[in-house]
Amino acid sequence: MRTIQFREAVAEAMSEEMRTDDSIYLMGEEVAEYNGAYKASKGMLDEFGADRVIDTPIAELGFAGIGVGSAMGGNRPIIEFMTFNFALVGIDQIINNAAKMRQMSGGQLNIPIVFRGPTASAGQLAATHSQAFESWFANCPGLKVVVPSNVYDAKGLLKTAIRDDDPVIFMESEQMYGDKGEVPEGEYTIPLGVADIKREGTDVTIVSFGKIIKEAYVAADELAEEGISCEVIDLRTIRPMDSAAIITSVKKTNRLVILEEAWPFGNVSTEIVYQVQAQAFDYLDAPIQKINTADTPAPYSPVLLEEWLPNKNDVIKAVKKVMYK
């Protein structure tokens, strides 16, 4: 095993796949000459050249459309958004073309494209740069949505996403690019749609994904000191969602807390709540608790931002609520 940074895992995944398939290329703002806005494509221009690592103007609608068109023509593009906040400029291409072309062409055209970049908050970046759109994209049939929470998953899931014949939304975090973790020396992939039980437990299930799951780990450690055993599940893939893993866990623990860095109305947590009450209602010993950001745009003030974001204390409070403690 090797210890590398999250950004290096992303670069390795893309580079390894590009070495085996000449139809794969990377396109986005500052991905080439600058080595990526977060250095997640460092060294790739030198290795693959300007034909396959392509800097673009600040025009997300344009280069998202170029990516979709080239995928229709047989290429396998990776389109990087500097953040997914900027993907809103190109969302027409993602939703109305990438996600629908296979059906609208009667199966004649696959769209093997990956849209990737940072999601959710990254410190004091204020309202228009701190948004989580996982549930927006997951709501659209035809798209797969992946949100890794660690270095190992980032590399394995991204390689799988690049090989997929359908469009994949691959959402990272600016605050995780410097995270370090172990990856194998050799080749490995992780299948989409398979959750990971990060911690076995018996008293309550905590489901989360992305960088906010770190708060669940801290909370679970502190709760263990009080004799409360938490099972922590990392979804990894939002769509397709591994509902079976959640249901199996809830049938064991009989309690569920969901932690998600997103606004509270109509999000990923909401879908999980529906699936559990539909498939495991009789196993629940307490109402499901879901933890989200405050129902406002993200504030700039550090004091307000701390209140806006979910944290370990919110998780501990929710767990104790379902435990009736």
Side-chain angles (χ1 to χ4, degrees):
M1 301 289 279
R2 297 173 295 124
T3 299
I4 62 174
Q5 290 185 327
F6 192 104
R7 58 170 58 89
E8 293 174 309
V10 171
E12 282 191 6
M14 293 189 293
S15 297
E16 288 175 11
E17 294 305 303
M18 289 173 69
R19 289 176 195 130
T20 64
D21 188 341
D22 290 340
S23 71
I24 301 170
Y25 67 89
L26 173 65
M27 175 184 284
E29 295 151 351
E30 299 184 350
V31 299
E33 295 288 345
Y34 192 66
N35 284 310
Y38 312 102
K39 301 298 181 279
S41 54
K42 186 176 181 179
M44 293 181 64
L45 175 62
D46 291 340
E47 179 174 356
F48 299 105
D51 288 340
R52 297 182 66 196
V53 182
I54 305 166
D55 278 332
T56 67
I58 302 174
E60 288 80 9
L61 178 61
F63 64 78
I66 290 171
V68 173
S70 70
M72 292 170 64
N75 291 306
R76 307 184 75 87
I78 305 166
I79 303 300
E80 177 179 316
F81 297 115
M82 195 177 293
T83 87
F84 264 95
N85 299 280
F86 305 157
L88 298 190
V89 182
I91 201 168
D92 175 58
Q93 289 293 337
I94 299 171
I95 300 297
N96 282 327
N97 290 325
K100 296 178 173 61
M101 193 57 64
R102 183 172 183 176
Q103 184 195 46
M104 292 193 300
S105 68
Q108 297 177 80
L109 295 171
N110 290 332
I111 309 294
I113 187 170
V114 175
F115 297 98
R116 52 158 294 269
T119 184
S121 65
Q124 288 179 261
L125 297 184
T128 61
H129 289 63
S130 303
Q131 303 170 107
F133 295 121
E134 291 88 347
S135 61
W136 287 32
F137 292 111
N139 180 256
C140 180
L143 299 177
K144 298 175 182 178
V145 181
V146 181
V147 190
S149 69
N150 59 78
V151 175
Y152 177 87
D153 287 358
K155 182 175 180 180
L157 290 167
L158 183 52
K159 287 172 71 71
T160 302
I162 294 169
R163 297 178 189 185
D164 201 288
D165 286 332
D166 292 313
V168 179
I169 308 295
F170 196 90
M171 310 179 88
E172 303 150 11
S173 168
E174 291 169 58
Q175 292 185 324
M176 290 178 62
Y177 284 119
D179 287 3
K180 293 182 178 180
E182 290 187 338
V183 299
E185 291 284 354
E187 166 82 8
Y188 77 98
T189 59
I190 299 172
L192 305 188
V194 180
D196 187 18
I197 299 176
K198 295 294 189 181
R199 179 178 182 139
E200 298 275 355
T202 56
D203 293 328
V204 58
T205 300
I206 303 174
V207 175
S208 188
F209 59 91
K211 77 173 188 293
I212 201 68
I213 199 173
K214 296 177 182 180
E215 298 296 320
Y217 298 149
V218 177
D221 287 340
E222 293 189 13
L223 287 162
E225 295 176 1
E226 300 182 37
I228 298 175
S229 174
C230 300
E231 181 148 296
V232 181
I233 297 177
D234 185 349
L235 280 182
R236 302 198 289 197
T237 303
I238 306 305
R239 185 161 186 174
M241 183 184 293
D242 190 358
S243 299
I246 302 171
I247 299 301
T248 299
S249 181
V250 168
K251 286 182 177 180
K252 177 175 67 173
T253 66
N254 310 117
R255 296 170 178 86
L256 175 61
V257 171
I258 310 162
L259 172 63
E260 177 187 6
E261 185 183 344
W263 295 309
F265 189 91
N267 50 37
V268 176
S269 303
T270 307
E271 176 62 21
I272 294 171
V273 170
Y274 169 76
Q275 293 294 338
V276 172
Q277 68 82 29
Q279 301 181 58
F281 179 79
D282 290 339
Y283 289 87
L284 290 170
D285 287 342
I288 299 169
Q289 296 294 309
K290 70 187 191 79
I291 306 164
N292 298 109
T293 67
D295 197 15
T296 69
Y300 174 76
S301 159
V303 176
L304 292 177
L305 183 62
E306 185 176 355
E307 288 297 314
W308 183 81
L309 273 171
N311 58 47
K312 65 164 187 173
N313 294 326
D314 298 320
V315 179
I316 291 171
K317 182 179 178 181
V319 167
K320 289 186 175 181
K321 187 170 184 178
V322 299
M323 295 291 295
Y324 299 107
K325 293 192 175 187

